[in-house]
Amino acid sequence: MEDLKKKISKIRENFSNDLDKVSSEQELENVRIKYLARNAEISNLMHEIKNLSKEEKVIFGPLLNELKTNSEKLFELKRNQIVELKLKSAQEKKQNFDVTAYKFSALKPSLHPYTHVIEQIENIFISMGYKIADGPELEDDFYNFEALNIPKDHPARDIQDTFWLKLPHKLMRTHTSPVQIHSMKKQKPPLAIFATGRCYRNEATDASHDFVFMQAEGMLIGKNISMSNLFATIKVVLQMIFERENLDIAMRPSYYPFVEPGVDVAMRCPFCTSGCSVCKKSTWIEIMGAGLVHPNVLKHCDIDPEEYSGFAFGFGLTRLVMLKYGINDIRLLNSGKIEFLEQFK
Ligand code: PHE
């Protein structure tokens, strides 16, 4: 009897001493394993009840129960303390985090070539009264195809290999033309917008193709807008982008379901006069698709084609950036390679 009593008070004392010393989660776990887990000291003592006589059980039953519940309570209290301490020290670390303490003196800051070109072109369009617009990269069939006069089963859908999502009608936009629809749905004409952004096509990658690339889109809707307005705008913009006072441009008929008539625009190679590797010896560089906004597109946006007309154009911003800086592998642009990026001051 006395033995058991001694045992109980010894365990109580040891447990309390050990618990006092705990200052980490690991030490706490060690105490649990030593005293409270199955086959640990307190649990083993509880098993001894069944070997006691009836009278002894009356005395030791409550004592042992008290030891168990009390130890568990103390253990929980300690656990809360440890968790709180941990949170507090994490917070302190965060508060004392000094961003200026980390200086990568070897790195020279630079902007991504996209950023340089987007800034330059946006400023040109803003100076001409255009508003900068944008739209989501995760698009709805309606905006990417349907409203752009590309109904289901239209062969033009096959030209743009599309990443379809498992959600109904959802896709990664294949071009920036859906921004035309978003803009016309948001604002009544007259309307002049310019947008840039990522586009996605499910294609194999090589030095000149990536499944994600950048496009730019421009659109102007008003009264009596004609091909000559389109021609003049594109010419001025290209002159400004390539910093040339005179840059010949040429238009050839082409087909895009959302414009009528549709054209492909080429410009005289800004890098040579008699043919080079950039223009593939032709002295012309195909630069964008354009045309007058198709009446069906206007109708989809509740704009009366009898009253309003407009032009739209779209070009590969990625291709333009590559042309401008003489970048020969498209994959460099998304690579995050410091040696490549730090060249663009
Ligand atoms: N969206 C077309 C493409 O991705 C380009 C384009 C835009 C053509 C606007 C005409 C008018 O190829």
Side-chain angles (χ1 to χ4, degrees):
M1 288 268 275
E2 279 311 301
D3 246 24
L4 196 53
K5 247 190 197 156
K6 268 195 196 137
K7 237 184 192 170
I8 292 174
S9 64
K10 189 86 207 141
I11 289 184
R12 182 181 289 126
E13 199 185 316
N14 288 348
F15 175 77
S16 149
N17 283 342
D18 282 357
L19 202 61
D20 270 353
K21 284 187 220 130
V22 162
S23 64
S24 72
E25 276 177 325
Q26 185 54 54
E27 286 167 11
L28 190 73
E29 178 61 6
N30 292 344
V31 168
R32 192 189 68 81
I33 292 168
K34 186 168 172 197
Y35 295 95
L36 299 170
R38 212 189 295 175
N39 292 328
E41 293 195 16
I42 295 179
S43 326
N44 284 344
L45 212 56
M46 296 294 286
H47 286 304
E48 285 187 24
I49 296 184
K50 61 178 184 299
N51 305 326
L52 301 177
S53 70
K54 223 173 173 185
E55 294 75 32
E56 288 171 330
K57 271 184 189 150
V58 174
I59 302 170
F60 285 105
L63 268 182
L64 281 167
N65 265 332
E66 192 258 353
L67 172 70
K68 183 168 183 276
T69 46
N70 206 32
S71 308
E72 281 170 355
K73 230 188 249 162
L74 289 173
F75 183 83
E76 274 316 305
L77 278 176
K78 189 75 187 184
R79 193 211 294 278
N80 290 342
Q81 267 178 23
I82 296 283
V83 169
E84 236 167 70
L85 267 177
K86 201 175 154 192
L87 278 175
K88 224 171 130 189
S89 91
Q91 254 166 4
E92 266 167 21
K93 249 192 206 157
K94 227 184 193 172
Q95 273 170 5
N96 296 336
F97 182 75
D98 177 5
V99 278
T100 61
Y102 295 85
K103 281 207 183 103
F104 299 100
S105 50
L107 284 186
K108 296 175 214 91
S110 60
L111 294 175
H112 194 281
Y114 278 144
T115 313
H116 282 291
V117 172
I118 289 172
E119 209 166 78
Q120 183 203 11
I121 306 183
E122 279 186 354
N123 282 338
I124 296 172
F125 279 99
I126 289 169
S127 75
M128 294 167 83
Y130 283 67
K131 291 244 152 38
I132 304 301
D134 68 2
E137 289 170 28
L138 194 165
E139 261 300 1
D140 198 277
D141 185 312
F142 176 79
Y143 290 92
N144 196 82
F145 290 130
E146 200 82 26
L148 287 165
N149 200 30
I150 317 175
K152 307 231 163 21
D153 305 324
H154 194 289
R157 288 200 177 203
D158 300 335
I159 304 170
Q160 305 188 349
D161 295 305
T162 310
F163 282 114
W164 289 96
L165 271 74
K166 287 201 175 123
L167 303 165
H169 320 297
K170 296 288 184 206
L171 52 95
M172 299 310 290
R173 69 174 174 197
T174 55
H175 50 178
T176 42
S177 299
V179 180
Q180 292 182 26
I181 309 297
H182 286 290
S183 303
M184 285 191 277
K185 290 240 169 219
K186 257 187 243 147
Q187 200 200 313
K188 292 283 144 234
L191 182 71
I193 58 110
F194 179 72
T196 57
R198 280 191 202 90
C199 302
Y200 301 79
R201 290 194 197 172
N202 194 353
E203 288 177 358
T205 57
D206 60 32
S208 45
H209 297 88
D210 204 344
F211 59 87
V212 47
F213 53 95
M214 297 280 280
Q215 275 198 351
E217 191 88 12
M219 182 183 71
L220 180 119
I221 309 280
K223 293 200 170 163
N224 303 318
I225 303 299
S226 70
M227 286 300 272
S228 47
N229 299 119
L230 170 66
F231 195 90
T233 306
I234 288 177
K235 186 165 177 154
V236 170
V237 169
L238 288 176
Q239 280 173 354
M240 286 166 100
I241 293 176
F242 287 94
E243 292 159 33
R244 287 291 168 104
E245 278 196 7
N246 244 322
L247 193 74
D248 283 345
I249 65 166
M251 287 191 183
R252 283 184 306 158
S254 185
Y255 175 71
Y256 298 95
F258 33 94
V259 284
E260 181 58 39
V263 290
D264 276 330
V265 182
M267 64 173 185
R268 271 285 180 213
C269 180
F271 308 107
C272 70
T273 47
S274 57
C276 66
S277 63
V278 179
C279 60
K280 302 204 180 78
K281 305 247 181 282
S282 72
T283 75
W284 289 101
I285 295 179
E286 287 271 355
I287 198 86
M288 64 173 85
L292 294 186
V293 178
H294 196 291
N296 286 350
V297 175
L298 295 173
K299 279 188 215 155
H300 270 299
C301 302
D302 304 314
I303 294 172
D304 182 2
E306 298 292 328
E307 196 182 351
Y308 291 103
S309 58
F311 64 69
F313 56 88
F315 57 88
L317 192 74
T318 298
R319 179 136 182 277
L320 188 81
V321 168
M322 290 172 74
L323 267 177
K324 204 174 146 98
Y325 292 108
I327 299 166
N328 56 14
D329 192 329
I330 189 171
R331 290 165 294 196
L332 284 167
L333 287 165
N334 287 338
S335 68
K337 278 200 178 124
I338 301 285
E339 316 85 75
F340 169 72
L341 294 170
E342 67 183 3
Q343 301 173 72
F344 304 93
K345 291 284 140 17

